[in-house]
Amino acid sequence: MDGILGEKVGMTAVYGEDGSQIPVTVVRTTGNVVVSKRTEERDGYTAVVLGFGERSAKRAGKPVEGFFAKQGLLEEREDGKKIVKRHLREFRVPAARLAELDVGAALAVDSMFHAGERVDVVGTSKGTGFTGVMKRYNFKGGKASHGVHEYHRHGGSIGSNTSPARVFKNRKMPGQHGNARITIQNLQVISVLAD
Amino acid sequence: MNALGSVEKRYEKQDLVDFRAGDTLKVNVRIKEGEKERIQAFEGVCLRKHRSGTSSTFTVRKVSFGIGVERIFPLHSPNIESIEVLREGKVRQGRIYYLRGRSGKAARIKARRLFG
């Protein structure tokens, strides 16, 4: 199972062969690099650490800068600014695959995925903060008129009275919405474009 | 150009004829009937162009057997075989919805230039 890091560019639509419109998300994956490896001897499992995106080494901090320098991956721009990778993630891979990859090797999407393939996508959803039940759980809310007083966007009753004398767990109530890790499985790759 | 735009560009038709609202168009549409595929023409006045990258559309209106018919076509759809401009109309609005309420003499549009 191979993976790659990417950044959402935006959404658009493309046409299928039969003229149907297919909604698509464009993801940029330029600049994926093997930053480090996890080996059976040292770590007890095999995985590859990928880096993606740019970040000023100054902002990332000395320990991060040191790590990248050790791996020989500390980029230096013409203006003397040092750049490290913004995102680091481990991907579990079998030992055989790990042997093929060297630290510093660049990964290209077009060699890993092809159109029509099914993939799982993991990301962080947009944070919307502390949110009411209408937005968070699609509750219908209260009536807009007919003498209703300040009860338009409420969720209504949250349970019975004396028995059970408590609110059941998992009761849907207002709270933090979004900014959570979301996995969407079995998405189809529509096309893979080289840079 | 931004990255999304450059991706969209790959899916847009590059050889589109130039037309605007008020023009009389003949749209050749691919229609699938079972296994067979044929081309059907829809002729009428373009009411509007909706510009939105790959999902751009345009609306064509015609009066068929006394009943006004409007069809919205996706501009870049592979089902649109071709678009012909039959007559260029001179109109002042980008969206000529006022045509809907008119019929007969009132629904005429002056030509921008005549075809030779």
Side-chain angles (χ1 to χ4, degrees):
Chain A
M1 191 209 79
D2 269 3
I4 199 162
L5 300 175
E7 173 188 46
K8 179 170 171 176
V9 176
M11 292 194 69
T12 179
V14 299
Y15 291 93
E17 272 172 30
D18 57 346
S20 61
Q21 257 183 320
I22 307 160
V24 294
T25 304
V26 179
V27 179
R28 185 192 290 115
T29 58
T30 315
N32 267 269
V33 167
V34 179
V35 174
S36 176
K37 299 208 276 191
R38 300 273 181 263
T39 55
E40 195 69 57
E41 306 85 71
R42 200 184 60 216
D43 309 291
Y45 65 99
T46 53
V48 49
V49 184
L50 296 187
F52 172 75
E54 291 182 345
R55 193 178 190 201
S56 162
K58 215 173 180 177
R59 292 202 170 276
K62 287 276 182 189
V64 179
E65 185 182 335
F67 168 70
F68 276 92
K70 190 178 153 198
Q71 304 294 55
L73 289 170
L74 191 66
E75 264 179 75
E76 200 165 342
R77 290 228 185 110
E78 285 148 29
D79 55 4
K81 204 175 169 189
K82 285 171 185 154
I83 304 292
V84 297
K85 294 290 173 189
R86 183 168 283 274
H87 305 285
L88 294 175
R89 280 287 184 285
E90 280 186 25
F91 288 87
R92 294 293 285 267
V93 291
R97 173 75 174 135
L98 194 68
E100 293 170 20
L101 299 163
D102 294 319
V103 171
L107 291 172
V109 246
D110 39 351
S111 64
M112 295 173 71
F113 299 103
H114 56 266
E117 205 174 347
R118 297 282 178 168
V119 293
D120 295 348
V121 179
V122 182
T124 306
S125 60
K126 276 185 190 172
T128 52
F130 195 97
T131 310
V133 288
M134 284 182 72
K135 194 190 193 80
R136 196 174 179 210
Y137 293 115
N138 297 324
F139 282 17
K140 293 187 91 172
K143 289 194 165 64
S145 68
H146 291 299
V148 175
H149 181 62
E150 292 182 355
Y151 205 75
H152 305 296
R153 297 184 60 89
H154 287 231
S157 165
I158 56 168
S160 330
N161 196 348
T162 315
S163 158
R166 64 187 176 92
V167 174
F168 289 123
K169 282 193 173 180
N170 301 327
R171 176 76 234 168
K172 290 174 179 171
M173 287 205 231
Q176 166 69 33
H177 183 48
N179 192 23
R181 183 183 151 114
I182 302 276
T183 306
I184 299 182
Q185 296 178 320
N186 211 17
L187 285 176
Q188 191 169 18
V189 178
I190 296 297
S191 74
V192 178
L193 310 170
D195 311 327
Chain B
M1 180 181 278
N2 61 29
L4 187 61
S6 64
V7 172
E8 283 196 325
K9 199 112 206 159
R10 291 163 183 261
Y11 295 96
E12 288 169 11
K13 291 179 186 171
Q14 302 300 325
D15 53 348
L16 281 171
V17 285
D18 187 40
F19 65 90
R20 41 174 128 159
D23 292 356
T24 306
L25 306 177
K26 185 176 173 185
V27 186
N28 296 311
V29 194
R30 279 204 190 91
I31 290 182
K32 262 214 172 98
E33 285 170 332
E35 290 295 288
K36 267 187 268 179
E37 199 184 75
R38 63 187 185 83
I39 286 167
Q40 191 184 62
F42 189 91
E43 219 174 294
V45 182
C46 176
L47 287 193
R48 68 175 294 200
K49 259 171 124 172
H50 167 67
R51 285 159 45 85
S52 174
T54 48
S55 45
S56 298
T57 60
F58 61 101
T59 306
V60 179
R61 175 186 170 86
K62 74 169 175 183
V63 178
S64 174
F65 301 105
I67 292 169
V69 179
E70 282 176 24
R71 256 185 94 168
I72 302 168
F73 296 102
L75 191 59
H76 297 286
S77 167
N79 283 351
I80 306 293
E81 211 267 330
S82 65
I83 303 164
E84 292 167 46
V85 182
L86 303 179
R87 186 171 178 272
E88 292 181 341
K90 187 175 169 185
V91 290
R92 290 181 165 195
Q93 275 74 30
R95 315 260 155 104
I96 51 166
Y97 297 142
Y98 65 82
L99 216 61
R100 287 173 176 162
R102 297 188 183 186
S103 62
K105 265 192 176 178
R108 283 175 305 174
I109 293 174
K110 274 188 185 165
R112 200 142 31 110
R113 62 185 163 87
L114 292 168
F115 283 81

